[in-house]
Amino acid sequence: MPIATVNPATGETERTFEPLGAKEIEECLARAAAAFEHFRTTPFSERAALLRRAADLLDEDTEDVARTITTEMGKPLAAARAEAGKCAKAMRWYAEHAEGLLADEHPDEGDVRDSGGARAFVRHRPLGVVLAVMPWNFPLWQVVRFAAPALMAGNVGLLKHASNVPQTALYLADLFRRAGYDEGCFQTLLVGSGAIEDILRDERVAAATLTGSEGAGRSVASIAGDEIKKTVLELGGSDPFVVLPSADVDAAARTAVTARVQNAGQSCIAAKRFIVHEDVYDAFLERFAAGMRELTVGDPTDEGTDVGPLSSEQGREDLEELVDDAVRGGATAVCGGRRPAGLDRGFYYEPTVLTGIITGMRIHREETFGPVATVYRVADLDEALAVANDTSFGLSSNVWTRDGAEQERCVRDLRAGGVFFNGMTASHPAFPFGGVKRSGYGRELSGHGIKEFCNITTVWHGA
């Protein structure tokens, strides 16, 4: 794939970039290794000041960077501005909390004496150079949720961003440079996916984090495993959205629309499978489909647009194949199921609701990365949980019920990295984020995320 900005609203290539050569990559690795030797010893107060400065600059740059994001991957401007604001919030959160999250841990004095020591503690030290392989769908947020905790822990970063968001990638490197970080602390590598293996195998790279497809995760994890290097993976998701009889059906249906079409449905944590108890199925489906029909699909630079284009023609074709396969197998498109009329340029697809899904359909097993929802009718909570867990993914989940016993059952039995009641899944710097099964492993955000790339060190003193 060329490194290029292809505007998904028009299909036109606006800028292309030459990938770095071997000499330039070596220079970046050398700068990163040298920067780490200095940066790892800086006090938290200095790291926090730098990160706060980066947040301030991002606030100042919001309009420009939002337009860059919209041009490169099609997100409506309002959503792009919100993404920038979320990134600045996360930077400030880690600037404030990192020192406390990484404070020395002191074991029970009795255990220290039992070990034969006079005192002991646990210290969290940075690992070193971390390679981040990041996707295009949230081109600022996916990077910042890695970079903010990693930098506050004393690590340095190398960013291999998706090839269709090169201008956003270069902006991020420039943002941290303008904030006062040494150039080697955070660098963008404009390289293709074929360059990742050699970079990850380089002895100066200590670890890697990847957000992306299952295939990309397998590749990076296998290389890192061969080199015995730490990885964190956040891969696909096919999150269930369960609606039970005690739910506020109107609120659930309104939220379901947003949960499905956020970022034109191109989100790992977007709700994708709507599993509805038969007692409220008809009411929910009517309201949900009506809400999907009312959405405005169009130019992402238009402030009135709800759903912009998909990021690429290939992405749209992949989505169409899943929908067409389901319809051929007997599914019903309650709404949507086609390219919208009047939008001949760009990679648009109508918000779609499918019913009558059966296990043999591809869409039952595969992730739908676009504004397409599948709705299932179930008889009881047992069946709802069975359908919800009938997936190879386990990123997050949404459950609408006001019954405390049902909530406890869902917390116990849903196989996912998150369970959100009476609302939609969202990420926040204070809460850990990540999944199980083929959604990956490890956690981002919160104290759990900042410790992923730390050397958790036991320090023991004899009597």
Side-chain angles (χ1 to χ4, degrees), residues 187-327:
Q187 299 175 84
T188 285
L189 306 179
L190 289 186
V191 296
S193 58
I196 293 174
E197 179 168 358
D198 286 345
I199 295 169
L200 183 51
R201 289 190 185 277
D202 191 284
E203 63 180 9
R204 290 164 292 190
V205 174
T209 180
L210 177 141
T211 298
S213 69
E214 185 180 335
R218 287 179 184 276
S219 177
V220 165
S222 64
I223 296 166
D226 190 50
E227 296 291 337
I228 317 179
K229 294 181 179 180
K230 175 70 179 287
T231 53
V232 170
L233 303 181
E234 193 265 279
L235 309 178
S238 190
D239 290 4
F241 188 106
V242 179
V243 184
L244 298 171
S246 66
D248 180 334
V249 175
D250 286 338
R254 285 194 305 271
T255 304
V257 173
T258 303
R260 177 66 286 237
V261 302
Q262 59 176 316
N263 209 37
Q266 302 168 118
S267 170
C268 295
I269 59 169
K272 299 185 175 80
R273 298 175 298 130
F274 297 82
I275 301 162
V276 187
H277 192 285
E278 60 187 10
D279 290 355
V280 292
Y281 178 88
D282 291 339
F284 174 85
L285 179 61
E286 179 184 2
R287 291 163 175 77
F288 180 41
M292 293 284 273
R293 291 189 191 98
E294 291 170 0
L295 295 168
T296 299
V297 181
D299 183 349
T301 64
D302 186 330
E303 298 290 353
T305 292
D306 299 308
V307 181
L310 299 183
S311 70
S312 67
E313 179 60 33
Q314 185 62 58
R316 180 167 65 174
E317 290 176 358
D318 291 345
L319 190 68
E320 287 175 324
E321 287 180 8
L322 290 177
V323 173
D324 292 347
D325 174 78
V327 172

Side-chain angles (χ1 to χ4, degrees), residues 31 36 102 106 142 201 203 216 239 325 339 396 415 462:
R31 277 195 296 269
F36 174 65
L102 297 180
H106 296 274
Q142 306 280 15
R201 289 190 185 277
E203 63 180 9
D239 290 4
D325 174 78
R339 301 182 181 191
S396 189
R415 300 186 194 119

